[in-house]
């Protein structure tokens, strides 16, 4: 009933982190730990859990104990078991289902949501853009509405943008997609074979990891230093892993905000070319370099005989509610990706594409104030953290919408749970890594205005004090103390 | 470099149909036949062709001949070969790439496009709907824009519609998708395991077949009689194939226009329930039953312990350029499908969802004149065919946007090629079947107004005469004769 991955007992226990079966009700403790992993997204729905026998052996507890834990998970709706087949992570109840939604307006409850690194649309422009797109929309509504490759005028506008940046591009090299995530899914579907290895920066964007796994790829992490990309490390990773696919975010990398230096770019493209792997470059944040423009696009260094694909989107520079992204690549590959698109969603909406044309025509006007806004927020965030929680280390991000904050202790998951109780939602570092890495990091967004930032930081301070002072105590018992 | 299926020599030769290696340039003849299969979509990009050796043996020609054919396909860009790995169908050139786009405005060249069964938006409503959605769009643009499950008001409106039809539904049971194709892809991704068998009506909707294959499913056809669904045949198919997934279009079935009779519905649901397979019911055309309303929804017959999913969309009742569809199912499954959606396209655009709310609020006003329009077109099409080409048999479709026309001879693919030369594009029957079935059928849409229908039919008559009178002659040589 599912296409999820199968988790071995050892891998599950690695996700347990510093959890150890103590005295008292061990089954309940196991249940609680697994529920937490499901709720923070590290155990995704459809993942097959190890058998009771295997998990009991690895944990050094009785099989009856694990069976009791699984029973309770089933009762809570977090586990589905098929006789003789195995047990899979399931969706709990409506509450949990709502919590899995990536965004909620702050107004609906009292929690401040710091899990999303995205901004509202520039409202003053929006009504205007809609009105400007309306005549074309009416004209298009007289036709059929399906444009597998995208509207010709949008393909041309996107191609012009690449050309203006020094990457000569024709409209035929552009496929319009329903956001950049859609573009990544199309690349994966067209390129991956069963068991293909995919090189990713580590940390990296969680939905990229999820998509790679969804399409059957095996993620191979290449660590980013605080200083960034180390070409020698990439060369070695390529040699060892022999990947079919390399996913990389050179501009305003998510979550670190790093920008790949000019001299590293040609070398990385060269490494990909020699390996024969497709190089998929996520450039959704390129226009949000905050101090100086992003360096030369990687596509500039592409050479014949290699497959280099560039992904873009208006979600970060304009608005995520407008689902318009794109892929740039060789025409033959664009055609292949389009046949995949026909099976996934047929086409991207016409109206959103028409608004995208308006946005692209005026992009600098839209993005310049956004960058100024993010610069101010960045300064405020770094300063507030340094003042409120000096133990945390925050490298100033060179671009993007988030900061990667080092806690100084491997407590990110616990901090995220306690923060939730304190009225602020944060994303723990392991969401951006593989197999539980980055327990000493959290990501914070650059989206908060001063007043909201002050309130959010007050709540984070309360959560941090609770976690720091009560490492040995179960998080739930902290409610009364903060 | 691809995730396509692998085609054995026997299967390729079945697709060749009535082609036989004659005298003269056999390599060129093989090349031409494969090119045609690529161009009409029956050989999809990424499909791995049999080895030269295997194909030569099955065809009873020399390996050199097949090698020459493959060489020319490579030169034309229709084939990519990786040394030691095999050969895959590739995208030819820009022309071919444009032709793969599902729709082109008739105005751009002289061809009449009968391959699409879809209507323009009701224009008088469109401008009005856009204006009505604008205030809400402005409000939403102040937020983040990502709604993994869909906007709450749209989920509620869709749920109300099911409830009004006698299928009590909560908003939590609805997932908004980027069109119904997106909903089908999510179901497939969440349910199929490698090698899962999927029961489909035969004929059926081509993009459903493509999506099933894309997600690794094996299509098992269950023949539809001219009279429709035979429950005994379904019971037997379920017993033999033991499917994980059943895809069915009970209302205004595409391409036949059949509507499943009331007494068959409960039986089919029961067969699915006993089999343990998920039953996925495509109801995108339900509101376009042309003579009387569609019978009781299959969801009414669902019982505990089975997974029945209903797919809907506004593409057919309103406009395909508005990419809004949905899935109705148990909340636990909706949550699982949403986690898949996060990896495919993150969310459906806000603006399209707001317009969808307006459309649903006024659906009867929009659909009633559309049905009247289709009824008139249907009468004109059936009458015109009977008068112009009496050899063709057209059962009057009970609903939907297309008619399934029997030619009386297995020449659909050839007719589609000759029609193209005569200035009219049609979809040959094999697009709707598996392994080259339905060579004696074509699908024609109910979308043409009288004047355009008369012109289209004149061109079809010319193509038909050419095909009928020159069965032994290669299609390309017909250009001068018509």
């Amino acid at each position: 009933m599912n296409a999820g991955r199968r988790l071995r007992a050892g891998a599950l226990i690695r996700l347990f982190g510093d959890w150890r079966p103590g005295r008292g009700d061990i089954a309940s403790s196991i249940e609680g730990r697994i529920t937490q992993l499901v709720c923070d997204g590290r155990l995704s729905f459809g993942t097959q859990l190890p058998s009771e026998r295997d998990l009991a052996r690895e944990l050094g507890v009785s099989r009856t104990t694990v069976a009791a834990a699984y029973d309770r998970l089933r009762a809570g709706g977090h586990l589905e078991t098929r006789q003789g087949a195995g047990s899979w992570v399931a969706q709990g109840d409506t509450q949990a289902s709502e919590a899995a939604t990536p965004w909620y307006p702050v107004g609906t409850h009292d929690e401040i949501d710091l899990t999303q690194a995205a901004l509202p649309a520039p409202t003053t422009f929006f009504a205007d853009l809609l009105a400007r797109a309306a005549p074309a929309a009416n004209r298009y509504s007289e036709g059929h509405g399906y444009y597998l490759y995208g509207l010709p005028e949008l393909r041309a506008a996107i191609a012009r943008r690449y050309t203006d940046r020094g990457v000569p591009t024709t409209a035929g090299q552009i496929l319009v997609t329903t956001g950049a995530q859609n573009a990544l899914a199309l690349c994966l579907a067209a390129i991956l074979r069963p068991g293909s290895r995919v090189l990713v920066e580590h940390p990296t964007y969680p939905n990229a990891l999820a998509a790679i796994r969804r399409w059957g790829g095996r993620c191979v992490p290449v660590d980013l230093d605080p200083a960034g990309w180390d070409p020698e490390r990439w060369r070695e990773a390529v040699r060892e892993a022999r990947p079919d696919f390399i996913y990389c975010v050179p501009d305003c990398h998510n979550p670190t905000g790093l920008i790949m230096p000019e001299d590293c770019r040609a070398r990385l493209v060269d490494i990909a070319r020699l390996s024969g792997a497709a190089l998929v470059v996520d450039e959704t944040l390129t226009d949000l370099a905050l101090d100086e423009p992003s360096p030369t696009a990687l596509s500039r260094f592409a050479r014949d005989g290699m497959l280099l694909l560039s992904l873009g989107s208006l979600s970060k520079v304009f608005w995520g509610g407008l689902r318009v992204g794109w892929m740039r690549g060789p025409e033959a590959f664009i055609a292949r990706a389009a046949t995949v698109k026909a099976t996934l969603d047929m086409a991207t909406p016409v109206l959103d594409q028409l608004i995208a044309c308006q946005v692209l025509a005026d992009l600098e006007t839209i993005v310049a104030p956004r960058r100024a806004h993010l610069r101010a927020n960045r300064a405020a965030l770094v300063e507030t953290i340094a003042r409120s929680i000096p133990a945390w280390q925050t490298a100033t991000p060179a671009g993007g919408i988030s900061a990667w904050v080092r806690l100084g202790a491997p407590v990110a998951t616990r901090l995220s749970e306690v923060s939730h109780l304190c009225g602020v939602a944060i994303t723990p570092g392991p969401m951006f890594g593989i197999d539980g890495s980055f327990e000493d990091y959290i990501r914070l967004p650059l989206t908060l205005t001063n007043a909201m930032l002050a309130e959010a930081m007050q709540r984070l301070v309360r959560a941090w004090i609770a976690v720091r002072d009560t490492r040995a105590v179960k998080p739930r018992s902290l409610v009364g103390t903060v």
Side-chain angles (χ1 to χ4, degrees), chain A:
Chain A
M1 293 291 285
N2 75 87
R5 62 174 174 154
R6 182 167 178 183
L7 206 66
R8 297 190 181 280
L12 178 58
I13 290 174
R14 271 198 297 285
L15 288 178
F16 276 22
D18 60 0
W19 178 94
R20 290 289 174 276
R23 281 172 300 181
D25 184 354
I26 300 176
S28 163
S29 168
I30 295 172
E31 178 214 348
R33 188 68 183 131
I34 291 178
T35 301
Q36 189 185 342
L37 291 169
V38 172
C39 292
D40 74 12
R42 280 189 282 162
L43 273 182
S44 57
F45 307 118
T47 302
Q48 185 174 4
L49 292 191
S51 70
E52 295 170 0
R53 185 194 305 270
D54 287 353
L55 184 56
R57 192 175 42 232
E58 288 279 333
L59 282 174
V61 303
S62 79
R63 184 170 166 186
T64 325
T65 301
V66 174
Y70 277 22
D71 272 347
R72 290 180 210 175
L73 286 165
R74 262 189 297 274
H78 285 303
L79 203 64
E80 271 175 18
T81 299
R82 272 217 210 163
Q83 214 55 41
S87 295
W88 285 267
V89 174
Q91 177 62 47
D93 46 29
T94 314
Q95 250 60 41
S97 136
E98 297 296 333
T101 308
W103 178 75
Y104 259 70
V106 172
T108 57
H109 51 60
D110 192 38
E111 189 167 67
I112 300 175
D113 186 355
L114 301 185
T115 63
Q116 288 292 333
L119 291 166
T123 312
T124 47
F125 289 99
F126 197 74
D128 185 38
L129 290 173
L130 197 59
R132 274 195 272 161
N138 279 323
R139 221 160 42 238
Y140 269 101
S141 75
E142 291 169 24
H144 186 300
Y146 294 96
Y147 292 81
L148 182 57
Y149 289 80
L151 299 186
E153 58 265 49
L154 179 56
R155 297 176 79 191
I158 295 167
R160 254 196 316 278
R161 213 170 150 70
Y162 277 101
T163 303
D164 291 348
R165 276 186 183 162
V167 183
T169 303
T170 64
Q173 289 175 271
I174 301 295
L175 177 66
V176 176
T177 62
T178 312
Q181 184 74 28
N182 187 225
L184 176 60
L186 299 175
C187 291
L188 291 165
I191 293 170
L192 292 197
R193 297 173 292 190
S196 279
R197 282 173 291 272
V198 179
L199 252 53
V200 296
E201 290 135 347
H202 200 220
T204 191
Y205 175 52
N207 282 11
L209 295 175
I212 291 163
R213 291 184 182 126
R214 168 71 51 198
W215 291 99
R218 285 156 56 193
C219 299
V220 178
V222 186
D223 288 338
L224 279 187
D225 289 329
W229 294 256
D230 174 353
E232 276 317 306
R233 197 174 291 158
W234 284 84
R235 196 183 306 280
E236 198 175 309
V238 159
R239 196 168 47 225
E240 280 180 11
R242 308 217 295 152
D244 287 325
F245 195 110
I246 300 173
Y247 171 74
C248 116
V249 189
D251 299 330
C252 316
H253 173 264
N254 183 358
T256 63
L258 288 164
I259 296 179
M260 189 186 289
E262 182 81 36
D263 61 352
C264 182
R265 296 183 172 231
R267 293 179 67 189
L268 213 76
V269 173
D270 214 46
I271 289 167
R273 181 178 64 80
L274 292 171
S275 78
L279 177 58
V280 178
V281 185
D282 183 335
E283 299 181 321
T284 48
L285 289 158
T286 299
D287 288 310
L288 295 181
L290 297 181
D291 300 315
E292 45 195 85
S294 291
T296 312
L298 266 67
S299 304
R300 274 285 286 279
F301 305 107
R303 284 202 256 155
D304 279 354
M306 76 176 294
L307 182 58
L308 190 157
L309 303 164
S310 157
L311 313 184
S313 149
L314 295 180
S315 296
K316 300 295 189 181
V317 291
F318 179 65
W319 189 41
L322 191 84
R323 308 296 306 134
V324 174
W326 58 82
M327 172 195 310
R328 176 197 182 275
E331 287 195 18
F333 185 83
I334 293 298
R336 193 195 306 182
T339 66
V340 182
K341 185 162 170 67
T343 66
L344 292 195
D345 69 1
M346 301 278 291
T348 294
V350 168
L351 196 52
D352 290 67
Q353 293 188 65
L354 291 172
I355 294 175
C357 288
Q358 301 289 343
V359 171
L360 283 175
D362 222 3
L363 194 61
E364 225 10 71
T365 319
I366 290 170
V367 179
R370 172 159 294 208
R371 276 195 296 261
H373 179 66
L374 288 170
R375 265 193 296 271
N377 289 357
R378 176 180 67 172
L381 180 74
V382 171
E383 190 273 325
T384 309
I385 290 176
R387 184 162 37 75
S388 314
I389 312 182
W392 292 5
Q393 293 162 30
T394 313
T396 299
I401 314 190
S402 62
W404 188 230
V405 179
R406 181 157 206 171
L407 304 178
V411 294
T413 301
R414 190 182 298 173
L415 178 65
S416 75
E417 193 181 64
V418 179
S419 296
H420 183 58
L421 300 173
C422 297
V424 55
I426 56 171
T427 312
M431 290 291 288
F432 302 87
I434 289 162
D435 291 335
S437 305
F438 305 116
E439 257 300 348
D440 57 349
Y441 284 92
I442 59 173
R443 185 188 76 170
L444 293 179
L446 306 183
T447 52
L448 294 193
T449 54
N450 275 327
M452 191 65 97
L453 176 63
E455 174 61 29
M457 197 51 72
Q458 273 185 22
R459 299 181 188 190
L460 275 178
V461 167
R462 269 186 283 155
W464 175 246
I465 290 171
V467 168
R468 192 190 58 191
D469 294 350
T470 56
R471 290 265 184 98
V473 182
K474 275 187 71 182
R476 279 188 204 291
S477 65
L478 294 174
V479 188
T481 72
V482 292

